[in-house]
Amino acid sequence: MRHTLRFTGVGGQGVLLAGEIMAACKIANGGYGLKTATYTSQVRGGATVVDITLDDEEIRYPYANEGEIDFMLSVADVSYQQFKSGVKPGGIIVVDPNLVHPTDDDRKHWTIYEIPIITIAKEEVGNVITQSVVALAIANTMTEVLPEQSLIDTMLSKVPPKVHAANRKAYELGKKYALEAMGK
């Protein structure tokens, strides 16, 4: 079964790493995973989007089809506004409410959850760089597209050992906030 996810932010926020981890995890579990990133002309501070396609069968087209994305997570309003139209009607969008401002029409079109991703990383984990792992945990908890332990193992293989504890904490907090947002 095919799943398409989109992470958006601005350059330097770690959305690309989260996409890379999800794709690598799917491949490690015998499927196909693809991360396709788009950058604006600015490396830091410019709108960034990464689309993640996960499938049990070979992926023949490397880009997500606009209007067919199942899940999007955004930590920057500029990229949210630019890339939200790719999410299918009724799809799930998670936004950081301190940074992203969905309209009332957006709330009618998509299921929107507000989770303060960057605040969680900065204040509860104590390391803002872990925001990509908080996002990763939220995405997987809400979509259940990958086996959780395998995703955690893949994530830990992509970060230096000295930050494993912080990243484990970031994952657990992301999962906790996702479950709370969904009322579970």
Side-chain angles (χ1 to χ4, degrees), residues 32-69:
Y32 296 87
L34 183 66
K35 169 197 84 164
T36 307
T38 304
Y39 312 81
T40 55
S41 60
Q42 295 175 294
V43 175
R44 286 210 175 268
T48 303
V49 62
V50 59
D51 290 335
I52 305 110
T53 304
L54 308 172
D55 205 331
D56 296 326
E57 297 183 22
E58 187 175 349
I59 300 168
R60 298 181 187 270
Y61 182 70
Y63 299 99
N65 293 322
E66 291 298 303
E68 295 181 9
I69 294 165

Side-chain angles (χ1 to χ4, degrees), residues 5-174:
L5 298 88
R6 172 173 281 176
F7 292 169
T8 72
V10 293
Q13 285 186 312
V15 296
L16 300 177
L17 177 61
E20 179 183 325
I21 292 167
M22 291 193 93
C25 180
K26 183 65 175 179
I27 293 166
N29 281 278
Y32 296 87
L34 183 66
K35 169 197 84 164
T36 307
T38 304
Y39 312 81
T40 55
S41 60
Q42 295 175 294
V43 175
R44 286 210 175 268
T48 303
V49 62
V50 59
D51 290 335
I52 305 110
T53 304
L54 308 172
D55 205 331
D56 296 326
E57 297 183 22
E58 187 175 349
I59 300 168
R60 298 181 187 270
Y61 182 70
Y63 299 99
N65 293 322
E66 291 298 303
E68 295 181 9
I69 294 165
D70 304 305
F71 175 92
M72 183 172 105
L73 184 142
S74 187
V75 290
D77 200 58
V78 64
S79 58
Y80 169 78
Q81 300 301 338
Q82 188 172 347
F83 299 112
K84 67 184 178 184
S85 63
V87 179
K88 69 183 182 183
I92 296 172
I93 298 178
V94 175
V95 299
D96 187 316
N98 299 314
L99 302 167
V100 180
H101 312 291
T103 65
D104 289 339
D105 282 343
D106 291 350
R107 294 178 192 284
K108 292 175 188 169
H109 197 70
W110 299 291
T111 301
I112 297 179
Y113 295 104
E114 296 184 358
I115 301 175
I117 298 161
I118 294 175
T119 302
I120 294 165
K122 189 175 182 180
E123 296 179 8
E124 293 188 48
V125 179
N127 186 339
V128 73
I129 294 172
T130 64
Q131 66 186 319
S132 61
V133 176
V134 174
L136 182 71
I138 291 167
N140 199 56
T141 300
M142 289 189 166
T143 63
E144 299 180 324
V145 294
L146 296 165
E148 182 179 61
Q149 190 56 53
S150 181
L151 184 60
I152 292 168
D153 293 343
T154 302
M155 177 268 298
L156 292 174
S157 77
K158 302 277 185 189
V159 299
K162 68 181 181 180
V163 294
H164 280 194
N167 281 287
R168 285 180 209 265
K169 183 175 181 181
Y171 192 95
E172 288 305 315
L173 286 166

